[in-house]
Amino acid sequence: MSVQNQLDFEGIEQLPLMDFAEKAYLDYSMYVILDRALPHIGDGLKPVQRRIIYAMSELGLSAGAKPKKSARTVGDVIGKFHPHGDSACYEAMVHMAQPFSYRYPIVDGQGNWGSTDDPKSFAAMRYTESRLTPYADLLLSELGEGTVDWGPNFDGSLEEPLLLPARLPNLLLNGATGIAVGMSTDVPPHNVREIASALIRLLEEPKTTVQALCKHIKGPDYPTGGELITPPRDIAEIYKTGHGTLRTRATYVVEDNDIVITSLPYQASGSRVLEQIAAQMQAKKLPMVADLRDESDHENPTRLIITPRSGRIDTEKLMAHLFATTDLEKTIRVNLNVIGLDGRPAVRNLRDLLVEWLEFRTTTIRRRLTWRLERVEERLHLLDGRLIAYLNIDKVIKIIRTEDRPKAVLIKRFKLSEIQAEDILNIRLRQLARLEEIKIRDEQAALTAERDELTKILKSRIRLRNLLRDELIAAADEHGDARRTLIVERAAAQALSEEDLVGSEPLTVILSERGWARAAKGHEIDPLSVSYKSGDGFLSAAHGKSNQQAVFMDSTGRAYSIAAHLLPSARGQGEPLSGRLNPADGATFRGIMIGEPGARWLVASDAGYGFFVELAQLYSRNRAGKACLRVPAGGSVVIPARYPHDAFPAEAWVAAVSSIGRLLIFPAGELPELARGKGNKIIGIPSAKFKSGEERMIAMQVIGPDEGLQIVSAQRVMTLKWGDLGHYDGERGRRGSLLPRGWRKVDRLMRLAVEAPAEE
């Protein structure tokens, strides 16, 4: 007999694995959505939160009671209503007690309940004590008045409320976050007074639009304050659609040149912000900041001090950079996805949320009034029976003393109900005094008036609406406070560029013959006096600032740019540019250019062709650089020369010298300004094939009016002042005139700037 035949499958349901897995997953998903992750629109609570609050009320932990150990509360919750882990239950309880997490805390905790820097740094539940806050009374005060439905707990031994009869929309006041299966919720907290004002507007004008409600509800009101910088029209759009993203920002003041952060965005950590700023300082990406410190204490929960390096630092620009690069500015997601009165989750807009909650509250009040009316009528019924008994006290006493079944006799003799007869039999002897009749009639009159008033309210929609409005106003007056989060329309912060972050200090960038670069502070340094590696020597230098781009040109005419502040210090011998850039094989670096992006430089090949180029045209983030000057085969690049004026073109002259000592000077305006290319002929060279020993252009310079020229040959320097340069004046592209004998082997040309006259 096979194993299959030995098994008895009778009475066992068989399902395809796909159907079983689908049903099991859907059941689990609905459980997570409805019983764990999403809040209900009525009381704004998840089941675990509702059970914690109810268990605390059952333990007598009201706002005026003595607090008890949190472990006691958690034990009751998980033992009676919520059979899950104690740590998860305690964490939910802690969240409701943290004033930086809840706009209106529900639990009043004593001990260590975490901090804004680390919300989960709270002490164990055996160390902390807790009770409910006065705000919790809004959720519990009507619980025993027939306002909500009750259901059995997990083992059927107790009853628990399925909802709490909230007198204000706790969902919008404290917000909610949760992740379910395939959906999530992110409801921001709001201000009591604004929510109550919007609810009253809806009561009086049921057709009020979301746009009109936004005049009452300006936006979310986070417990940690800060600024809400999202434009009002975008906030209105979020309230209209039920989802979107808000942008919040810290607030600060300036005290004695220090920047003091006074509030942070919601769920931002002060210590984390300081770490982010310190990391930028250590990476030398924030030279404007000299010091950081945290002066937060009990009186000032948020007080972070940022000390700028000097009083000249632009505070607004610095803070804009910090907003963009740290948690001082955060985006917060909004998704108004909650469980409605129909028991289904859905994303609702602001108006739908308020209208549905008003429906919940109206039903709650009606149930409360109906329950009270029933109690009043029951009491009046008993009082009617008592009054009959007092008016016939002697007969009642005789019946009780003589009859074997006095209850039935009383019912028959005085036409009482069974409840009235039972109440008469339970009256104590002390209540037979003469004054009791007066008390009964007074109580009857008061209860009759109350019954009439309750009946009027229940039969009139207007009276019911007015009662709801009055209760909203009273609750808002009791628990309302000023808005904490300021609403200021600002543009999103932009981080400063790398150049803006670097201090504007004068630098001299030095390039050696073998392509080693370095930067020396100041413009007074003599590049010839610094040390070079053996076999290396000075090639070129340029003056600029630390927040500018240094552009290097290689022998093939390609330009490469590096931020000047990233260059090594001139205290050493520098670093080879080939370690940071990727020049072509065999190419050598031939010049350095630095200055304002709009500055012009003369670039040329040793074939005698060149043009002016704006420095910004040469910037490149590519390690391989960008093509600029077209150099003929076998040729190279002459050290670039800077145009001496900010404006271009202006009066200036180009001086060029060839390898055989011919010097030509002509107006700079005869050369074009290009972004790339070969350029125009500068000085006439007989051949451009560059055979060994043939003539080439070896140096050039651009000089301004009344400036001179220095010709360096070996260790000697010849100065040609403005009046001496006319001998070499000519047209562009000419051969030029020979220099005096002994000066025809030129190493470089230097501009002799005009000295400013001394002040008297």
Side-chain angles (χ1 to χ4, degrees):
M1 183 179 290
S2 66
V3 176
Q4 179 70 25
N5 294 333
Q6 293 178 16
L7 297 177
D8 182 11
F9 288 99
E10 185 177 353
I12 299 177
E13 182 182 4
Q14 299 185 51
L15 287 174
L17 180 60
M18 182 181 70
D19 295 344
F20 174 79
E22 181 180 0
K23 181 179 183 302
Y25 185 71
L26 286 175
D27 290 345
Y28 168 75
S29 301
M30 291 306 298
Y31 165 74
V32 172
I33 292 170
L34 299 178
D35 291 333
R36 184 183 297 179
L38 299 189
H40 194 280
I41 195 171
D43 56 12
L45 299 172
K46 303 175 186 179
V48 64
Q49 297 170 328
R50 188 178 302 117
R51 289 163 178 165
I52 290 170
I53 296 170
Y54 175 64
M56 294 183 73
S57 69
E58 288 294 286
L59 285 171
L61 295 176
S62 63
K66 182 181 178 181
K68 293 181 180 179
K69 286 289 185 182
S70 301
R72 172 81 179 275
T73 300
V74 172
D76 266 34
V77 173
I78 65 177
K80 294 180 178 179
F81 309 111
H82 197 72
H84 296 275
D86 59 345
S87 60
C89 179
Y90 181 50
E91 188 169 336
M93 180 180 177
V94 168
H95 190 64
M96 292 191 291
Q98 292 175 333
F100 49 85
S101 297
Y102 261 41
R103 181 62 177 83
Y104 301 95
I106 300 175
V107 176
D108 178 16
Q110 296 187 11
N112 177 13
W113 290 79
S115 65
T116 53
D117 290 339
D118 187 3
K120 295 191 176 183
S121 62
F122 49 85
M125 58 185 171
R126 62 182 178 273
Y127 298 120
T128 62
E129 295 182 343
S130 56
R131 61 183 175 184
L132 294 171
T133 62
Y135 175 84
D137 188 60
L138 289 174
L139 303 172
L140 295 165
S141 61
E142 300 172 354
L143 189 58
E145 300 178 12
T147 51
V148 295
D149 295 328
W150 295 69
N153 67 339
F154 64 91
D155 61 0
S157 61
L158 296 169
E159 293 282 314
E160 63 174 323
L162 303 182
L163 287 175
L164 296 183
R167 287 190 283 137
L168 284 173
N170 179 65
L171 173 69
L172 289 172
L173 298 184
N174 277 320
T177 59
I179 300 176
V181 177
M183 63 179 64
S184 64
T185 183
D186 290 280
V187 182
H190 293 79
N191 186 272
V192 162
R193 293 174 179 170
E194 293 182 2
I195 293 294
S197 176
L199 289 170
I200 293 170
R201 173 75 179 272
L202 267 177
L203 284 174
E204 296 174 347
E205 301 176 24
K207 295 184 179 180
T208 302
T209 63
V210 173
Q211 194 72 29
L213 290 174
C214 288
K215 295 180 180 178
H216 301 269
I217 303 175
K218 307 298 183 182
D221 188 19
Y222 296 101
T224 54
E227 287 183 348
L228 181 61
I229 63 173
T230 304
R233 61 183 178 277
D234 293 343
I235 297 176
E237 185 64 23
I238 291 173
Y239 283 142
K240 186 176 180 180
T241 61
H243 58 83
T245 302
L246 296 170
R247 188 174 290 275
T248 58
R249 178 180 289 184
T251 59
Y252 69 93
V253 295
V254 178
E255 297 179 0
D256 298 329
N257 198 41
D258 286 341
I259 301 171
V260 182
I261 308 296
T262 55
S263 67
L264 294 171
Y266 185 51
Q267 295 181 338
S269 166
S271 60
R272 173 63 178 160
V273 168
L274 292 180
E275 288 175 5
Q276 292 171 333
I277 299 175
Q280 294 187 48
M281 294 173 65
Q282 292 175 358
K284 297 183 179 179
K285 293 183 177 180
L286 201 60
M288 302 95 79
V289 176
D291 187 30
L292 294 173
R293 62 184 183 275
D294 188 351
E295 294 184 356
S296 304
D297 53 25
H298 183 71
E299 294 182 359
N300 301 289
T302 301
R303 185 176 171 82
L304 310 179
I305 311 298
I306 302 173
T307 304
R309 190 167 295 279
S310 71
R312 298 188 301 273
I313 299 297
D314 190 328
T315 301
E316 291 188 3
K317 287 187 177 180
L318 171 58
M319 289 306 299
H321 174 76
L322 294 179
F323 287 141
T325 58
T326 70
D327 288 345
L328 289 175
E329 182 174 309
K330 293 185 67 176
T331 56
I332 299 178
R333 184 170 172 264
V334 175
N335 185 25
L336 306 181
N337 185 15
V338 297
I339 300 172
L341 298 181
D342 58 359
R344 297 181 178 180
V347 177
R348 295 165 171 81
N349 62 33
L350 178 64
R351 184 183 183 279
D352 292 342
L353 282 177
L354 295 177
V355 168
E356 197 161 344
W357 185 85
L358 283 174
E359 181 182 346
F360 164 79
R361 183 58 188 162
T362 302
T363 302
T364 302
I365 293 178
R366 187 180 294 277
R367 292 181 63 167
R368 185 190 78 203
L369 297 178
T370 303
W371 179 88
R372 178 58 185 167
L373 181 59
E374 292 173 355
R375 302 290 86 73
V376 168
E377 290 178 340
E378 289 174 1
R379 181 63 178 170
L380 285 171
H381 183 62
L382 292 178
L383 291 177
D384 289 341
R386 286 192 179 188
L387 189 58
I388 292 173
Y390 278 107
L391 294 176
N392 301 277
I393 188 65
D394 294 334
K395 294 179 181 180
V396 169
I397 293 174
K398 183 178 179 181
I399 291 172
I400 294 174
R401 291 182 63 187
T402 60
E403 297 291 338
D404 294 334
R405 299 178 61 189
K407 182 177 179 180
V409 176
L410 288 173
I411 292 174
K412 184 176 181 181
R413 177 74 59 84
F414 301 108
K415 297 181 179 181
L416 300 175
S417 68
E418 188 171 340
I419 296 175
Q420 287 175 323
E422 186 69 28
D423 179 65
I424 292 172
L425 293 174
N426 290 331
I427 294 177
R428 297 178 182 179
L429 290 175
R430 70 175 62 179
Q431 294 178 294
L432 298 177
R434 178 71 180 172
L435 293 176
E436 279 300 316
E437 181 182 345
I438 300 174
K439 291 181 180 179
I440 290 174
R441 292 188 181 278
D442 290 343
E443 186 178 353
Q444 271 186 324
L447 291 177
T448 301
E450 184 180 355
R451 180 187 61 188
D452 295 341
E453 182 64 23
L454 291 172
T455 303
K456 289 179 181 178
I457 295 174
L458 287 171
K459 290 183 177 180
S460 171
R461 293 178 57 186
I462 296 177
R463 289 176 182 267
L464 189 63
R465 184 194 66 189
N466 292 340
L467 176 60
L468 173 53
R469 181 196 61 199
D470 293 342
E471 291 183 355
L472 284 173
I473 294 173
D477 290 342
E478 181 182 359
H479 298 281
D481 56 3
R483 166 174 279 277
R484 297 182 188 176
T485 301
L486 304 176
I487 298 181
V488 184
E489 185 175 357
R490 302 185 193 276
Q494 298 291 331
L496 295 175
S497 64
E498 193 171 2
E499 290 78 8
D500 293 332
L501 287 171
V502 179
S504 180
E505 299 177 353
L507 285 181
T508 300
V509 182
I510 303 172
L511 177 65
S512 74
E513 294 175 349
R514 292 190 174 181
W516 286 58
R518 55 189 137 172
K521 290 184 179 180
H523 291 167
E524 296 76 21
I525 188 171
D526 181 5
L528 295 173
S529 65
V530 300
S531 63
Y532 296 89
K533 283 186 170 292
S534 177
D536 199 1
F538 169 72
L539 176 65
S540 176
H543 294 158
K545 295 180 179 179
S546 55
N547 61 348
Q548 295 174 341
Q549 292 281 324
V551 177
F552 298 91
M553 182 168 283
D554 69 9
S555 56
T556 66
R558 295 188 70 84
Y560 311 79
S561 57
I562 298 177
H565 71 278
L566 297 179
L567 294 172
S569 171
R571 294 190 183 96
Q573 294 175 330
E575 294 179 3
L577 290 174
S578 57
R580 300 193 181 196
L581 306 173
N582 296 332
D585 292 340
T588 59
F589 289 97
R590 293 295 303 156
I592 166 68
M593 293 172 277
I594 187 173
E596 296 296 332
R600 268 71 175 183
W601 285 74
L602 176 60
V603 295
S605 66
D606 56 3
Y609 288 84
F611 55 89
F612 285 102
V613 62
E614 185 178 352
L615 191 58
Q617 297 285 345
L618 304 180
Y619 292 161
S620 171
R621 295 183 179 180
N622 192 351
R623 286 173 59 95
K626 64 188 297 186
C628 172
L629 178 66
R630 191 160 68 245
V631 179
S636 186
V637 171
V638 179
I639 297 174
R642 183 171 184 171
Y643 194 79
H645 303 290
D646 293 332
F648 182 87
E651 189 177 9
W653 283 262
V654 173
V657 65
S658 69
S659 56
I660 63 172
R662 287 186 172 274
L663 176 64
L664 175 66
I665 298 176
F666 61 89
E670 296 182 8
L671 285 177
E673 180 182 358
L674 304 174
R676 57 185 297 178
K678 177 181 177 181
N680 290 3
K681 181 178 285 189
I682 296 175
I683 188 171
I685 303 294
S687 173
K689 296 182 179 179
F690 299 116
K691 295 180 180 179
S692 177
E694 287 188 349
E695 184 180 0
R696 305 182 181 213
M697 187 175 75
I698 60 172
M700 60 186 179
Q701 194 57 257
V702 185
I703 57 177
D706 300 327
E707 291 184 334
L709 194 66
Q710 287 184 326
I711 300 173
V712 180
S713 178
Q715 301 298 322
R716 299 181 302 164
V717 178
M718 180 175 66
T719 300
L720 297 177
K721 295 185 178 180
W722 183 256
D724 303 327
L725 297 177
H727 177 69
Y728 303 98
D729 192 9
E731 297 179 2
R732 178 185 62 80
R734 296 293 185 178
R735 292 275 292 149
S737 302
L738 284 170
L739 291 167
R741 291 184 180 274
W743 293 95
R744 295 176 181 175
K745 188 177 181 181
V746 178
D747 293 324
R748 61 182 180 275
L749 296 179
M750 297 174 62
R751 182 167 63 91
L752 185 63
V754 179
E755 295 184 2
E759 297 182 1
E760 296 182 359

